[in-house]
Structures are given as C-alpha cells and as structure tokens.
Amino acid sequence: MSEKILVIDDDRATVENVSAVLKRRGFEVIEAFCAQGGLRKAYSNQPDLVLLEAVLPDKDGWEMCRLLREMSDMPIIFLTARSNHSDEARGLNIGADDFVRKPWDDEVLVARINARLRRSPRTNLSEELSFNQGDFRINFMNREVWIRRSMKHLTPKEFNLLAVLVRNAGRVVSRTELVTEAWGDEYSDAIDSLKLYIHYLRQKIETNPQQPEYILTSRGVGYRFVKS
C-alpha cells in the first residue's frame, strides 16, 4: 500500500504541483485548501505525513500544527514561503519535523518526505478518547468534553491543557512541558498561571474539585491525568 500524504495549502497551484510530484513517485495524495478541511481529512484518511502551509485563511498554521500534534506522532513538514529562521525555529518548537521553503526542489522534497517516513512508525489519529466506562469523553476534532453525558464548555486554553494531559494519560507531565505543549513555546514563561488554569479545569470537569479524580497534582513536578 502506498503512503498517504496530506497537503494543506490555500494556494491551489501549490497543491496541484506538489500532488503531481508525489503521485509520480507512487504516493497517494489527499488535498485540502483550508485548516478545517485539513483537520477533517486528517481524521477521515489518517495520512502517513502532512505537508502544511504556515499561513492559512481560517486558522494560523502554527495552531494547526499544534492541533495535529496533539493527536498523532505522524511527521509534519512545513512547506511555506516564510523564510526567516525564527519562523523555522517556531515551527520545530511546536512539533513540526521539518521545514521546506518555497520554491522547493522536487527531489529534495521527496527525499525529505521519505526520510521522515522511514523514521516514523505508522500511527492512527484518535478523534475521540473515552475513559471511566464512558463517563469521560473528549473529542479532539470537535474540541468537546463530555462528563457523564454533560458537555463541558472549556476555553481554548483550557481544552489544550486537558488535551495534552489526556494524550499522556497515566504519566506525570511537568509544568514546563504542559505549558509549552498546550500553548506553545512562546508561553514558556507562563508557568505561574498554570495553577489557576488547572483550578478552572477542575471546577468544570471534577465532581469534587477539592478531591479531583481526573487531574492529580504531582507536587514539585506537574500534573497527571488518571485513566479510571
């Protein structure tokens, strides 16, 4: 079976050119022209690798990368006209695996894709995870959290924190890792506000926030999401 590559770019000429190059090399190509369409196609097609533009009309490409990375370890390569080193560093810091600038060389692009695929085991995107016999459900595509059949309304920052904890269920996530994975490397100095956001989360998802059953504190280290 040929590997599936998802190309997300609002420039149709770019998508068509990349698709032609990859199809000639035997790849199956999935095309998306906006962030929301890209997310839906990622869930439904489960690609082996994503080529992602940093500037999209409906969502920041950096945020798009973060959302994809929350749900899968599949390789993500930025393919963009953004050319400064700070953009490249930012992309790598939020979870991208590589950064290719436009205009690209076809052979180099294919070589980089093949290199990433060789190092990456095939993974599946989980659209939804469920714990505690269905009492806790989190849907990553719709960004919804259900506790005992009641949907909880979380802010984007709260949801991103919870998503990182759930994806690492059973493992203590350090405060620094939690902040940077959920909010981005630019928030690395926001650790002091983390305790407050964890408090907000517990108020919304715990039966008794004073005796939490889902989000536990590991003193001096960070937080852990309990599976059951």
Side-chain angles (χ1 to χ4, degrees):
M1 177 183 286
S2 59
E3 286 103 337
K4 291 184 285 189
I5 311 297
L6 172 60
V7 183
I8 307 173
D9 197 312
D10 63 320
D11 182 61
R12 290 183 176 270
T14 294
V15 175
E16 290 172 1
N17 290 338
V18 172
S19 294
V21 170
L22 297 182
K23 287 176 181 177
R24 285 198 298 269
R25 269 67 172 189
F27 293 106
E28 178 182 344
V29 181
I30 305 150
E31 301 177 353
F33 302 97
C34 63
Q36 281 301 106
L39 282 173
R40 291 192 179 93
K41 291 187 177 183
Y43 291 122
S44 60
N45 292 278
Q46 307 220 346
D48 298 290
L49 181 144
V50 174
L51 292 176
L52 175 64
E53 167 58 59
V55 181
L56 295 168
D58 56 334
K59 189 182 291 293
D60 187 281
W62 316 114
E63 175 65 14
M64 179 70 172
C65 178
R66 190 176 298 128
L67 292 173
L68 289 169
R69 180 55 70 233
E70 283 178 2
M71 292 166 279
S72 173
D73 290 329
M74 65 184 174
I76 299 172
I77 299 177
F78 273 107
L79 181 62
T80 179
R82 302 283 287 257
S83 60
N84 64 62
H85 293 298
S86 63
D87 284 331
E88 183 172 354
R90 183 182 181 189
L92 296 173
N93 283 332
I94 62 175
D97 297 279
D98 208 343
F99 201 98
V100 177
R101 294 183 178 87
K102 300 176 182 176
W104 66 90
D105 178 90
D106 291 350
E107 295 303 322
V108 171
L109 176 62
V110 172
R112 291 196 179 202
I113 289 172
N114 283 327
R116 292 298 168 186
L117 289 173
R118 282 195 300 269
R119 298 171 189 155
S120 174
R122 182 176 176 83
T123 57
N124 292 327
L125 281 168
S126 297
E127 179 178 340
E128 182 172 295
L129 289 178
S130 176
F131 300 97
N132 203 11
Q133 298 182 326
D135 279 353
F136 177 100
R137 291 189 295 115
I138 180 169
N139 187 295
F140 297 99
M141 181 175 182
N142 296 329
R143 297 178 70 81
E144 294 176 350
V145 175
W146 295 78
I147 309 292
R148 290 175 288 278
R149 300 184 181 180
S150 174
M151 189 173 76
K152 304 300 178 179
H153 298 284
L154 306 184
T155 67
K157 277 192 170 184
E158 291 167 354
F159 184 89
N160 288 347
L161 282 176
L162 184 60
V164 173
L165 288 169
V166 170
R167 284 292 177 187
N168 291 276
R171 179 176 78 85
V172 175
V173 182
S174 73
R175 291 188 295 271
T176 300
E177 180 185 358
L178 182 54
V179 167
T180 56
E181 286 294 317
W183 300 340
D185 191 62
E186 62 269 31
Y187 286 90
S188 59
D189 59 351
I191 293 176
D192 290 343
S193 63
L194 178 60
K195 185 176 181 180
L196 181 61
Y197 277 93
I198 293 294
H199 169 76
Y200 292 153
L201 265 178
R202 285 172 171 162
Q203 293 294 320
K204 293 180 178 181
I205 73 171
E206 302 283 6
T207 302
N208 181 358
Q210 304 305 316
Q211 296 181 318
E213 57 181 312
Y214 290 116
I215 301 176
L216 303 186
T217 301
S218 178
R219 293 190 181 279
V221 182
Y223 299 92
R224 174 170 60 95
F225 182 87
V226 179
K227 296 182 180 181
S228 61

